[in-house]
Amino acid sequence: MELHQVEYFLAVVDHKGINAAASALRLAQPTVSQAIRVLERELGVDLFHRIGRGMVLTSAGQAFVGPARQVLRDVVAAEGALVDSEGLPRGRLDIHVAAPLAVHPVAQLVGQFRKRYPNVSLRLADLRDEEAGAALIRDGHCEIVFTNLPVAGPELEVEELGTHDYWLVCPPGTDVPARDPLPLTELPDLPLVIVPKSTGRTAIERALSAARKHTTPSAIVQHRESLLPFVLAGVGGTILARPMAEQAAARGAVVRAIDPPISLAYGVLYDPALLSPAGRAFLRLARTR
């Protein structure tokens, strides 16, 4: 078994197919397919059921996912345990980030971190399910998770880093009262574009209910990055963390702060026992901000 075979196997699992995995890996589809078949021959089992063009894990494949992730995690940990001739971290640092936090503070942190530690490469992935943060760390997907708080029972270290206010974002040209911040009681009767489930959505719904405002979803989108394009296209309004709302205003959206403010704490999850030197350095930088 070779390391790249394990990486290709997990790519097929995570991207739910050969073609998507090959695209993510920037490889030709036959290269990935052949590597998986060679791996199956070496292991003596079928890892996938081939159903038409689809790939479904067999029971053996499901059993192999955990050990495969641990193999890659161990390699990353081994690389991350190294330091250069000046004693600075090197290797790779994996982080999962909730979408509202990518704009702020993570983008700024990554920029500062790369200037201080140029021999560490960072791999950032989207945290689509905030409840899955602890599992991502335990299963070896990453060292650090940036997420909205609170997090229920993560069995990990949780550190609050700051708060974000959430602002109203409406399609260009929407007739919104000029008051800024806008009282929630004066929120226009505007359908909202929302994501199915998130800590932010829960806080927003609680605040709207307290203000006796009842809104109707115009669209429910699976990916948070789709919210702003839908709003700019006139599908409906939404409520976004301030850094994302300010970007929306720059693109022509009508934006208002909200009174009383809707605020949500954010922070990091991590396991101190699993942190590499790069991970510890990144957390020190995050705390100083």
Side-chain angles (χ1 to χ4, degrees):
M1 186 192 309
E2 296 186 15
L3 187 61
H4 76 274
Q5 294 171 320
V6 178
E7 183 179 6
Y8 295 0
F9 164 75
L10 290 175
V12 174
V13 173
D14 292 339
H15 295 281
K16 299 179 173 58
I18 290 282
N19 290 335
S23 177
L25 293 167
R26 298 185 179 180
L27 296 171
Q29 181 270 336
T31 300
V32 178
S33 182
Q34 178 63 19
I36 296 298
R37 291 197 178 277
V38 171
L39 178 61
E40 289 177 320
R41 286 200 300 269
E42 292 174 347
L43 294 174
V45 294
D46 289 334
L47 298 172
F48 296 97
H49 295 296
R50 275 79 172 173
I51 303 175
R53 294 184 178 181
M55 303 279 284
V56 179
L57 281 169
T58 64
S59 58
Q62 291 173 342
F64 186 59
V65 170
R69 294 202 191 282
Q70 190 58 52
V71 167
L72 291 191
R73 186 73 245 152
D74 288 345
V75 171
V76 172
E79 294 174 345
L82 303 175
V83 295
D84 62 19
S85 59
E86 297 180 357
L88 298 177
R90 55 181 297 180
R92 191 181 84 192
L93 176 60
D94 294 330
I95 300 174
H96 273 66
V97 184
L101 307 179
V103 176
H104 177 84
V106 175
Q108 294 85 351
L109 285 172
V110 169
Q112 292 179 14
F113 184 84
R114 285 285 298 157
K115 290 179 181 177
R116 295 189 189 185
Y117 308 104
N119 291 325
V120 178
S121 64
L122 291 98
R123 188 172 69 172
L124 288 90
D126 185 18
L127 178 65
R128 298 193 180 278
D129 181 359
E130 293 172 343
E131 295 181 356
L136 290 170
I137 293 174
R138 286 196 304 266
D139 293 344
H141 289 279
C142 61
E143 292 186 38
I144 299 170
V145 170
F146 277 81
T147 184
N148 289 312
L149 301 177
V151 177
E155 300 177 0
L156 297 171
E157 291 292 327
V158 181
E159 289 190 29
E160 182 177 331
L161 297 178
T163 60
H164 277 159
D165 287 340
Y166 278 70
W167 288 4
L168 175 68
V169 179
C170 302
T174 302
D175 185 14
V176 179
R179 296 179 65 181
D180 192 7
L182 179 69
L184 265 179
T185 53
E186 297 181 21
L187 195 74
D189 186 15
L190 182 71
L192 297 182
V193 182
I194 61 175
V195 292
K197 183 180 179 182
S198 70
T199 306
R201 178 183 168 186
T202 300
I204 291 164
E205 290 177 344
R206 190 178 296 121
L208 292 174
S209 177
R212 299 182 182 276
K213 297 296 294 186
H214 302 285
T215 59
T216 303
S218 60
I220 300 175
V221 298
Q222 294 294 324
H223 306 306
R224 291 184 179 125
E225 59 267 28
S226 301
L227 285 171
L228 183 53
F230 273 69
V231 171
L232 294 175
V235 176
T238 195
I239 298 177
L240 296 176
R242 176 178 174 176
M244 299 179 71
E246 290 174 336
Q247 289 192 350
R251 296 178 62 181
V254 178
V255 174
R256 296 286 187 275
I258 294 173
D259 182 33
I262 300 175
S263 297
L264 201 61
Y266 64 85
V268 289
L269 307 181
Y270 63 93
D271 184 339
L274 299 179
L275 285 177
S276 66
R280 290 193 292 271
F282 195 91
L283 284 177
R284 285 197 299 271
L285 179 61
R287 291 172 185 134
T288 61
R289 287 182 57 84

